[in-house]
Amino acid sequence: IRRAHFLAEELFSREFGAESITPRQKAALVILLQHPGLNQNALSDKLFMDRNTVAEMVRRLVQRGLVLRTPAAEDQRAYELSVSAEGAALIDRVLPRDVELEHELLARLPQEYRPLFIKCLRLMVDADSTRMAPE
């Protein structure tokens, strides 16, 4: 699994090096497009990532102008996150090519195994996400 993950990240880096985006940053932007106004803790939960790691990633995304951070209406100590117009444009450029990249990666498997492989990955992730779900 680790070697397949490294291969996927290498292909992603090769394809999107000029965009200066990582798979985790892409995931964060997609989640924020789907759920505008999340705070960093909620984003961490949805990404299943450490809060400190997400805080640093959000800081970099804000510095690049891809994410907007505004004070939360209900809690002035918290911030709501949303994708900027520049961040949305980046995702619009990346997502179609990301789908192609996924097809390229899956093409390494025989056609008849691909749906089963995806199903098994989902089973692993879903089992982990229910075990790790915040209470």
Side-chain angles (χ1 to χ4, degrees), residues 18-74:
E19 301 285 1
S20 297
I21 187 169
T22 67
R24 289 178 178 186
Q25 291 170 339
K26 180 204 71 164
L29 290 172
V30 169
I31 287 171
L32 290 175
L33 280 169
Q34 294 169 341
H35 306 281
L38 284 181
N39 63 37
Q40 283 183 192
N41 289 340
L43 179 60
S44 297
D45 292 343
K46 290 196 175 293
L47 289 169
F48 293 95
M49 290 174 57
D50 173 77
R51 288 187 165 109
N52 291 327
T53 302
V54 170
E56 179 60 26
M57 179 174 57
V58 166
R59 185 187 64 75
R60 288 192 305 271
L61 292 170
V62 168
Q63 282 180 336
R64 289 184 55 201
L66 302 174
V67 168
L68 304 172
R69 186 169 43 191
T70 56
E74 300 84 34

Side-chain angles (χ1 to χ4, degrees), residues 33-126:
L33 280 169
Q34 294 169 341
H35 306 281
L38 284 181
N39 63 37
Q40 283 183 192
N41 289 340
L43 179 60
S44 297
D45 292 343
K46 290 196 175 293
L47 289 169
F48 293 95
M49 290 174 57
D50 173 77
R51 288 187 165 109
N52 291 327
T53 302
V54 170
E56 179 60 26
M57 179 174 57
V58 166
R59 185 187 64 75
R60 288 192 305 271
L61 292 170
V62 168
Q63 282 180 336
R64 289 184 55 201
L66 302 174
V67 168
L68 304 172
R69 186 169 43 191
T70 56
E74 300 84 34
D75 183 356
Q76 292 301 309
R77 298 168 296 164
Y79 289 95
E80 293 179 348
L81 304 172
S82 58
V83 177
S84 69
E86 186 178 337
L90 174 65
I91 288 300
D92 285 345
R93 290 191 309 270
V94 166
L95 282 186
R97 291 170 28 218
D98 192 48
V99 170
E100 292 171 15
L101 188 63
E102 184 177 307
H103 289 291
E104 177 185 338
L105 189 59
L106 289 174
R108 295 163 188 253
L109 294 174
Q111 178 67 37
E112 65 271 16
Y113 293 157
R114 293 173 198 170
L116 179 59
F117 177 74
I118 296 297
K119 182 177 182 178
C120 289
L121 288 175
R122 283 193 177 118
L123 286 169
M124 287 172 31
V125 170
D126 289 347

